[in-house]
Amino acid sequence: MSEFTISAWRAWAPGVSDATDWQRWRNGELDFAEQAIPDASFLPAMQRRRLSLLSKAAMATAHPLLNGRDMPVLCCSVHGEAKRTYALLQDVAAGEPLSPTAFGLSVHNAIVGQLSISLGVHAPALALAGGDYPLLSGLLEAAGMLAEGIAGTDELLLQFYEEPLPELYLHNTVSPARICATSLLLKAGAGSEGGYTARLKNGSPQAAESAFSQPEYQLPLIAALVDGAGNLPLGQGWTLELARNEDRGATNV
């Protein structure tokens, strides 16, 4: 078992972005919008122009949690910048020259690299390919980083983000219906004042669906955060137990 604290969180999906929105969504009073643009107004216009909607969503959820602090960042995604990659493949198929800038913004660690530059993160910044069980991949890696005290700190930012896939890929996988990004501010050890105590446990018989068949894997996590408690199967016998601590609770900043 591994134990740590989620001291704050932030999530974004079209039409649902702050704590009130997510509570209304959880109550069935608010649905997702068809389209929306994440608020990245805290960045200079030159930097914003380079960002995709997916990377803007990642920035919008990370910025209030980092709040100018320098700590390790871990980004986990199944497909990353799938639309940028698809656009490059279309250029290859058409015999067009590839843009080095477009390629640099399409690789799997592109978003965490942009986040490091734009938000002034000098601590280690890592990107994971989430595979079948992205919540498991991200949370286990984060727990290990906290246990090791990476960069001499007991905190880190963990992100998950996905976007709808190009239509060409839909014959052999399921696409997320919309962009969704979730950022968690994690702290080593179980907190006694505010936040959630999070426990990763192995040996559970509960099964978890693969992200390739259930791509909206972030929503059960967000629901548990809104509820203040939950027991989420992560895959391969692992579960995440969440329990809000007695004091203030973790905030959706």
Side-chain angles (χ1 to χ4, degrees):
M1 184 179 72
S2 180
E3 192 171 71
F4 51 88
T5 297
I6 300 175
S7 54
W9 65 279
R10 188 73 182 254
W12 187 94
V16 187
S17 59
D18 61 21
T20 301
D21 289 343
W22 283 111
Q23 185 65 65
R24 292 180 61 206
W25 166 80
R26 184 62 174 145
N27 294 341
E29 301 167 358
L30 180 65
D31 202 355
F32 300 110
E34 288 191 13
Q35 293 183 340
I37 299 176
D39 181 9
S41 58
F42 51 86
L43 295 174
M46 183 68 75
Q47 291 181 351
R48 290 200 305 271
R49 281 196 291 269
R50 293 167 58 90
L51 300 178
S52 66
L53 288 178
L54 181 65
S55 54
K56 285 180 180 177
M59 295 278 186
T61 59
H63 178 253
L65 300 188
L66 288 173
N67 195 25
R69 291 177 294 170
D70 189 9
M71 67 180 70
V73 175
L74 175 61
C75 295
C76 185
S77 178
V78 178
H79 300 290
E81 291 270 20
K83 290 184 177 179
R84 285 192 189 271
T85 303
Y86 180 67
L88 287 172
L89 293 174
Q90 286 182 306
D91 288 342
V92 171
E96 299 290 337
L98 295 182
S99 162
T101 299
F103 174 76
L105 294 174
S106 73
V107 296
H108 203 72
N109 63 348
I111 289 180
V112 70
Q114 292 174 89
L115 189 150
S116 298
I117 294 168
S118 300
L119 302 185
V121 175
H122 299 94
L126 307 177
L128 286 180
D132 283 278
Y133 305 112
L135 291 179
L136 175 63
S137 299
L139 289 164
L140 279 180
E141 184 72 17
M145 292 173 67
L146 289 172
E148 290 291 328
I150 299 294
T153 179
D154 63 351
E155 289 185 297
L156 65 80
L157 182 79
L158 172 61
Q159 281 199 319
F160 302 94
Y161 45 76
E162 304 294 344
E163 68 177 352
L165 297 174
E167 186 176 356
L168 179 68
Y169 300 133
L170 301 186
H171 68 284
N172 63 358
T173 191
V174 180
S175 172
R178 63 195 62 84
I179 289 176
C180 186
T182 307
S183 290
L184 309 175
L185 183 60
L186 306 185
K187 188 177 178 65
S192 59
E193 295 185 0
Y196 303 82
T197 294
R199 296 182 177 91
L200 290 175
K201 290 186 175 182
N202 199 3
S204 169
Q206 290 181 281
E209 288 191 78
S210 165
F212 294 101
S213 60
Q214 178 46 268
E216 310 286 357
Y217 63 85
Q218 296 175 69
L219 296 184
L221 172 61
I222 295 170
L225 291 166
V226 173
D227 293 345
N231 191 325
L232 304 180
L234 302 177
Q236 299 179 348
W238 288 89
T239 58
L240 172 67
E241 292 183 0
L242 283 180
R244 193 192 302 274
N245 295 328
E246 288 297 323
D247 191 12
R248 299 182 304 277
T251 56
N252 182 312
V253 180

